[in-house]
Amino acid sequence: MRRYLVSLLAVWACIGLVHAQEISPEIRDLIEQRVEAIAGQLGEDSDVDLSAIGEQLMDRLNDPLDLNHATAQDLADLYMLSDIQVNAIIDHIQRFGKFISIYELQTIDALDLATLEQIRPFVTVRAEGSSRTSLKEMLANGSHEILFRSQVSIQQRKGFIGGGDPFGSPYTDPGGDPLPDVDDPQVMDSLRQNSKVYLGSPWKLYTRYRFRYRRNLSFGITAEKDEGEEFFKGTQPNGFDFYSAHLFLRDVGPVKALALGDYQAQFGQGLVFSSGLSFARKSAYTMNIKRNAEGLTPYASVNENQFLRGAGATLGFGKYWEGTAFISSKKLDGNVAETDTVSGADASEAVFSSFLEDGYHRTTNELRKKHAVDEFIYGGNVRYLRRNWSIGATAAHEEFGGTLQKSSVSPYNQFEFQGSGNSTYGVDWNVLYRNLTWFGEGARSANGGMAGVTGLLVALDKRLSLALQYRDLQRDFQGLYSAAFAESSNPWNERGLYTGLELRPSRKWTFNAYFDQFTFPWLRYQTDGLSNGYEVLGQLTWTPSKKVQLYVRGRKQDKPKNAESVTEGIAPIVPTSQVNYRFNASYKVSKGLTLRTRIETVDFQRGESPVEHGFLIYQDLIHRPSKGRLEFTGRVALFATDSYDSRVYAFESDIPGVFSLPPIYGQGLRWYGMVRWSVARGIDLWARYGSWAYLHQDVVSSGLQEISGDRRSDFKVEMRLKF
């Protein structure tokens, strides 16, 4: 088997020498910066694969977007333009006709020079519109990509005692107590059966093959094994724990989109139905409050729950109509409850108390919950599109092979979904009139719960833009696949008004600010009463040249919670505030060397409790020579926080396909180094080593993830072949 793999890699390498394309370091820098910016709109979710966004920009680099035939969705998919800038480009074409040259963009007031330089490699102007590409041409001119990735913890975790210590750093009990006699087969069998150790090795493995032609054709297969899961033995005789495959076509004949296998579906503002990534968080990009749903898209990530498995298609009807239908059937992980432990449960039907979304199947207990719940989804969208406005209607239904019934219902969650099926439906709209955009969506769930969101984007002047958004998400709205711009992670039990502005007094200075006030009309987790709060942010950015950019940011959030240390009765609600200050500087020392520095502080206070402080300072070094084969990215960071509540988040550069936004708390040193070696044309290798060194700790993490000592390190390696 090993010889076969080596031979296969050698063949792919030879092919890659001939066909792959080189991407300049400057372009990779730009794409990485855009992905980091998008990360800020995902909140605190650190288990998201953003590689699809980078791949989409790479596709546009190889096949620049023709501005004269681009839709608003095409421009939004560049992730470099605000909705106001997108509308300005569309309005320019409608008022003055098609672009003659790409440099005509400079006449649009909403576009500054920095934005023009960013989008220039990804757009073009063609004299005539290109006809649709045939399937035969796609297959002949597409590109292949193969990825192999692995990562492992250097220090042995508690769950791997008795095996799985590749670096000779065994786990020891922090208290000095003796460990179980893992050399005794009976002891090990007992530990496995009682979920006291992991069943598999500590290596996390990932592999993917994908064929793509621009954005028109994509097919491939993805496979992943998490650390602790078995591989080609025991509970996993078929190898990887998770497999995903897809075939996706766009703009082929009368078909606007066709998805087979695994895919995503997003419509409107996300209230009725939205699977996959949800850019629903507030960020310093204060104008980006409108969602530009893509409809059907291929799925090539490794989240084992947030996708659809089946088929979907989008067809055009006449000049102005298009319709989408989709269907999905898959199994979900869930906590299946014993019928005698659930109040009122019928012993003849399957009952589960919750869904599980981590995708881990490392122990006997986790394997019992694997694929415990059947899920069946079907739905559709009908849209009427005119040049300056569109309106759409979406409906979706989810059915489960059992009944979701919470094992305990608290006052705060009594309106959340329970049952065996749910439906959502609604209407969304988008209206463009010169420098103004009005958008929104209204939705209803099967139980009668309602939710609505609407907003305005307007360019008041070439230097000043304004964004307004109002949301009314009722407490009993139930949307299992709903996502919308909101303060809470779930789009229900909230009313809010967001006001954002962007001021560009000159091409060197930009000021962004927003004020969001919100009310929660029902109880929330850790908030036993009605409450309201606000969040305000201001950021001033100075870009004196192409080599230097600095910004300062302040953010304050006030959101009441229950008081701490209440032993009897109802906990009183007390103000809870968090204040963040950040200074960030980026300096391009030379064409291939960039330095980045950040300082951030956090002050957190709940009620009359003492203020808890957090502090982070880091220095990045990015070396990407224009002609060398080796690139290096590294960071050294010092941090100190009083608690988890005063934690800090910082995006980290990682190997392709891995998204890192870890919570930073405690006291210590964080550092990592990553090397990319371009072995040959079309063959790239990455290696990344990162470590956390904590002060005043003799244990890191807990449970089976526990590490004895004050250090936590990991190693990652990846190989990519493109031809």
Side-chain angles (χ1 to χ4, degrees):
M1 180 67 177
R2 185 174 300 175
R3 290 183 178 178
Y4 171 76
L5 288 175
V6 171
S7 301
L8 180 62
L9 294 179
V11 172
W12 291 131
C14 293
I15 299 175
L17 287 171
V18 179
H19 295 282
Q21 292 185 344
E22 290 289 341
I23 304 299
S24 70
E26 291 79 11
I27 296 298
R28 286 199 297 272
D29 272 341
L30 175 59
I31 291 175
E32 183 177 292
Q33 290 170 16
R34 298 316 301 168
V35 173
E36 179 177 1
I38 292 167
Q41 296 180 261
L42 292 172
E44 301 170 359
D45 189 348
S46 59
D47 187 25
V48 178
D49 183 1
L50 290 178
S51 60
I53 296 174
E55 291 169 356
Q56 189 165 313
L57 292 175
M58 288 292 188
D59 288 342
R60 281 304 179 199
L61 188 68
N62 296 325
D63 179 34
L65 179 64
D66 183 6
L67 293 173
N68 287 330
H69 298 87
T71 65
Q73 183 63 58
D74 292 332
L75 293 168
D77 288 346
L78 293 174
Y79 299 103
M80 296 180 184
L81 297 168
S82 70
D83 292 300
I84 287 178
Q85 292 170 327
V86 169
N87 294 342
I89 295 174
I90 299 296
D91 182 63
H92 181 89
I93 296 175
Q94 293 174 354
R95 295 172 64 185
F96 303 107
K98 294 181 178 181
F99 288 100
I100 300 174
S101 166
I102 190 174
Y103 297 103
E104 193 177 338
L105 289 170
Q106 300 178 59
T107 65
I108 300 177
D109 290 338
L111 299 177
D112 57 279
L113 289 178
T115 302
L116 290 174
E117 290 177 359
Q118 284 184 345
I119 69 172
R120 186 169 55 185
F122 304 95
V123 297
T124 189
V125 170
R126 298 191 181 103
E128 298 180 0
S130 57
S131 59
R132 291 194 172 186
T133 308
S134 67
L135 182 59
K136 182 178 180 180
E137 183 179 348
M138 293 181 192
L139 293 173
N141 298 323
S143 62
H144 304 262
E145 180 185 70
I146 301 175
L147 280 178
F148 300 95
R149 182 168 71 229
S150 182
Q151 64 186 76
V152 66
S153 173
I154 302 300
Q155 293 80 22
Q156 188 184 47
R157 301 183 185 273
K158 185 177 181 179
F160 294 107
I161 58 174
D165 180 25
F167 297 97
S169 182
Y171 172 84
T172 58
D173 188 88
D177 296 332
L179 298 176
D181 183 9
V182 294
D183 293 327
D184 187 334
Q186 292 184 341
V187 172
M188 279 300 297
D189 286 344
S190 176
L191 292 174
R192 288 169 175 263
Q193 292 173 7
N194 291 282
S195 300
K196 300 297 184 182
V197 295
Y198 294 135
L199 300 174
S201 75
W203 293 91
K204 183 173 183 176
L205 304 175
Y206 168 94
T207 186
R208 184 181 77 184
Y209 165 75
R210 190 173 184 184
F211 175 89
R212 287 183 297 155
Y213 177 81
R214 300 176 180 174
R215 299 181 69 238
N216 301 93
L217 172 63
S218 173
F219 62 83
I221 184 169
T222 302
E224 185 198 45
K225 164 206 171 306
D226 289 310
E227 64 168 15
E229 294 174 345
E230 293 187 285
F231 190 57
F232 281 113
K233 66 177 182 179
T235 60
Q236 299 292 346
N238 296 322
F240 292 92
D241 174 72
F242 175 71
Y243 289 95
S244 174
H246 75 274
L247 169 62
F248 189 86
L249 289 168
R250 191 192 306 273
D251 293 332
V252 177
V255 178
K256 290 192 172 183
L258 174 65
L260 299 175
D262 295 347
Y263 64 99
Q264 302 282 24
Q266 300 177 340
F267 306 100
Q269 295 303 304
L271 278 179
V272 175
F273 197 89
S274 178
S275 65
L277 295 179
S278 300
F279 308 116
R281 305 295 294 179
K282 290 163 280 190
S283 74
Y285 292 87
T286 50
M287 296 296 102
N288 292 351
I289 62 171
K290 173 176 167 285
R291 297 196 60 190
N292 294 290
E294 298 183 72
L296 303 179
T297 55
Y299 182 76
S301 188
V302 290
N303 185 300
E304 300 184 23
N305 294 278
Q306 295 299 317
F307 66 93
L308 303 178
R309 175 165 288 176
T314 300
L315 300 174
F317 300 97
K319 188 176 180 180
Y320 301 117
W321 291 90
E322 69 176 33
T324 300
F326 60 92
I327 189 170
S328 169
S329 178
K330 68 178 190 292
K331 293 181 178 294
L332 303 174
D333 294 355
N335 280 311
V336 178
E338 299 292 339
T339 54
D340 58 359
T341 65
V342 181
S343 176
D346 185 348
S348 64
E349 64 179 5
V351 176
F352 59 99
S353 59
S354 63
F355 299 104
L356 297 175
E357 297 185 358
D358 56 24
Y360 292 135
H361 308 119
R362 306 162 297 183
T363 66
T364 303
N365 283 341
E366 290 176 349
L367 283 166
R368 291 194 187 103
K369 303 169 185 178
K370 180 179 180 180
H371 296 169
V373 180
D374 292 322
E375 178 196 62
F376 180 68
I377 299 175
Y378 60 88
N381 172 269
V382 177
R383 184 161 299 276
Y384 182 73
L385 302 101
R386 297 302 296 265
R387 173 173 292 184
N388 294 328
W389 61 276
S390 67
I391 186 169
T394 307
H397 179 76
E398 302 97 34
E399 193 74 34
F400 304 104
T403 301
L404 173 62
Q405 188 166 340
K406 298 180 184 297
S407 56
S408 62
V409 178
S410 302
Y412 81 90
N413 67 0
Q414 63 176 296
F415 296 105
E416 294 183 8
F417 171 77
Q418 295 191 84
S420 59
N422 185 49
S423 298
T424 50
Y425 46 90
V427 176
D428 66 272
W429 63 91
N430 187 73
V431 179
L432 167 64
Y433 179 72
R434 294 196 174 182
N435 62 339
L436 183 145
T437 299
W438 174 42
F439 65 92
E441 183 173 18
R444 187 178 190 273
S445 54
N447 67 333
M450 306 283 286
V453 57
T454 187
L456 285 173
L457 296 166
V458 56
L460 300 175
D461 182 83
K462 66 180 181 179
R463 295 175 295 269
L464 179 62
S465 300
L466 178 69
L468 295 172
Q469 187 248 39
Y470 177 74
R471 55 196 182 272
D472 187 351
L473 315 172
Q474 295 183 1
R475 65 184 183 181
D476 58 346
F477 176 69
Q478 298 173 349
L480 301 180
Y481 276 86
S482 298
F485 183 95
E487 169 62 24
S488 302
S489 56
N490 295 317
W492 52 76
N493 187 32
E494 179 178 332
R495 295 191 188 98
L497 176 63
Y498 171 97
T499 304
L501 65 86
E502 182 173 274
L503 177 64
R504 296 178 178 270
S506 71
R507 63 182 183 181
K508 294 183 179 180
W509 293 91
T510 304
F511 178 69
N512 293 85
Y514 67 72
F515 181 77
D516 187 40
Q517 49 191 333
F518 40 82
T519 298
F520 304 110
W522 188 244
L523 317 184
R524 305 173 68 246
Y525 177 65
Q526 293 187 345
T527 309
D528 296 333
L530 309 187
S531 61
N532 56 73
Y534 69 89
E535 182 175 338
V536 59
L537 176 143
Q539 176 173 306
L540 182 63
T541 304
W542 181 46
T543 310
S545 68
K546 295 180 180 180
K547 294 184 177 181
V548 179
Q549 184 184 79
L550 297 90
Y551 72 79
V552 291
R553 176 191 300 177
R555 181 175 71 96
K556 182 178 181 181
Q557 183 183 73
D558 190 294
K559 188 162 57 175
K561 291 185 179 180
N562 293 341
E564 294 181 301
S565 305
V566 177
T567 57
E568 296 182 1
I570 299 177
I573 298 177
V574 298
T576 301
S577 66
Q578 178 176 314
V579 180
N580 293 62
Y581 293 105
R582 176 187 295 180
F583 168 79
N584 192 93
S586 177
Y587 176 61
K588 200 170 186 63
V589 180
S590 64
K591 191 173 182 179
L593 180 63
T594 302
L595 300 178
R596 297 176 189 163
T597 304
R598 177 175 296 180
I599 301 173
E600 185 157 359
T601 66
V602 180
D603 291 331
F604 177 88
Q605 185 176 28
R606 178 182 291 193
E608 299 299 323
S609 300
V611 177
E612 300 174 4
H613 302 284
F615 174 80
L616 168 71
I617 180 171
Y618 72 66
Q619 179 63 54
D620 284 354
L621 186 151
I622 303 99
H623 179 54
R624 290 175 175 166
S626 56
K627 294 186 178 180
R629 291 186 177 274
L630 287 176
E631 299 177 5
F632 174 80
T633 303
R635 171 177 296 175
V636 176
L638 294 173
F639 60 92
T641 73
D642 292 334
S643 69
Y644 184 74
D645 286 330
S646 56
R647 65 193 178 275
V648 186
Y649 288 89
F651 180 85
E652 296 184 353
S653 297
D654 216 317
I655 60 179
V658 178
F659 170 66
S660 296
L661 187 66
I664 301 172
Y665 58 96
Q667 299 178 9
L669 171 72
R670 167 62 169 164
W671 70 271
Y672 66 83
M674 181 172 66
V675 176
R676 173 185 174 175
W677 178 28
S678 297
V679 182
R681 189 175 178 86
I683 308 174
D684 294 290
L685 292 175
W686 284 266
R688 185 183 191 269
Y689 185 94
S691 182
W692 302 80
Y694 296 93
L695 297 176
H696 317 302
Q697 287 186 214
D698 57 6
V699 172
V700 180
S701 195
S702 61
L704 296 185
Q705 290 291 93
E706 182 179 282
I707 295 173
S708 57
D710 60 359
R711 190 176 299 272
R712 174 165 63 94
S713 308
D714 61 82
F715 177 71
K716 303 175 185 178
V717 62
E718 178 170 301
M719 178 173 64
R720 183 179 67 189
L721 309 174
K722 298 187 72 173
F723 54 95

